Amino acid sequence: MDAVRVAHLREVLAGTGWVQSARRFAGSLRASVGPHRGGLLLVGTESYEPWHLAAHLDDEAAWSGLPELSPTLVRHRVPPSAPAHLSAGLGRIEAAGRRETVLVVASGPPGGGLLERVHDARRAGATVLALDDRAAGDLRDLHGIAHDALTADASEVDLDTVQHLVSAAAGESLPGPGAAGGPPGSRLRRPFRDRLSRLVDHLSAPPPTRW
């Protein structure tokens, strides 16, 4: 989703609390990822792969100069013909440890096999975050594992919209260290208005092929 549409979304949702919630969750995401690309593991459920969130985070990583936001998409089933950057299976979560982050996106029940792997990753020192949908059913097990969670409610905003808000907020300008409202150790980012101008220019470029 381009920055103009994100700005419109935020205007429409002003006063609902969703913009603030997305920014808070994005702050948890930024604070948890290590300084190097590859430590953010993004995984969905067996029936849902979060392709769009992966693409948007990859864009944010490039536009904001934060390579650590570029995710590794972890897949339940990896086709034999998949390119290298789309060949990470669930074993990658089993190998996760300190300074890595597992972001679970659940539009439906995450399943015991995934939960077990994510729980093991947390025990090994990884940070676990969850973006999910209230319609997914009982999410207590997932939330019990996660360090932070944000749950979409289709009666207000759907999971797809929440993912757009979070990914856009992930590369935003942040207050400097110690400033009120900013996570500890946050770094100053380029102002949103400048980033918006760069994103509008980007819209005229050929679409990316990474995802």
Side-chain angles (χ1 to χ4, degrees):
M1 180 177 288
D2 62 78
V4 174
R5 291 179 64 192
V6 170
H8 178 65
L9 260 180
R10 288 174 172 167
E11 181 179 352
V12 171
L13 294 172
T16 66
W18 283 107
V19 175
Q20 292 83 354
S21 293
R23 283 179 168 147
R24 176 198 58 74
F25 188 84
S28 295
L29 175 60
R30 286 192 302 265
S32 70
V33 294
H36 304 297
R37 182 172 181 156
L40 173 58
L41 310 180
L42 179 61
V43 63
T45 62
E46 283 196 65
S47 60
Y48 177 80
E49 287 189 329
W51 288 93
H52 284 101
L53 181 57
H56 288 309
L57 286 172
D58 203 47
D59 286 343
E60 290 296 336
W63 296 331
S64 62
L66 297 171
E68 60 267 32
L69 288 178
S70 183
T72 296
L73 182 64
V74 177
R75 311 178 69 182
H76 288 255
R77 291 176 296 276
V78 180
S81 60
H85 73 285
L86 295 177
S87 296
L90 292 177
R92 181 62 182 88
I93 294 178
E94 295 174 3
R98 294 186 182 279
R99 303 187 72 183
E100 294 188 302
T101 300
V102 179
L103 174 54
V104 181
V105 182
S107 63
L114 176 60
L115 288 174
E116 182 178 353
R117 289 177 171 89
V118 173
H119 184 258
D120 288 344
R122 171 165 176 154
R123 291 180 61 185
T127 299
V128 176
L129 304 175
L131 269 177
D132 47 54
D133 193 327
R134 195 174 304 280
D138 189 348
L139 297 167
R140 286 176 295 181
D141 288 341
L142 176 59
H143 289 183
I145 299 171
H147 292 87
D148 196 0
L150 181 58
T151 300
D153 187 336
S155 66
E156 298 176 353
V157 293
D158 59 22
L159 181 59
D160 188 55
T161 299
V162 171
Q163 290 179 72
H164 286 309
L165 291 172
V166 168
S167 60
E172 276 189 331
S173 177
L174 294 174
S186 61
R187 295 171 288 169
L188 186 63
R189 309 295 181 221
R190 68 171 55 93
F192 179 77
R193 188 176 297 276
D194 178 59
R195 189 171 71 90
L196 174 59
S197 177
R198 292 172 64 88
L199 295 183
V200 170
D201 290 342
H202 178 78
L203 293 179
S204 62
T209 58
R210 172 176 164 82
W211 302 102

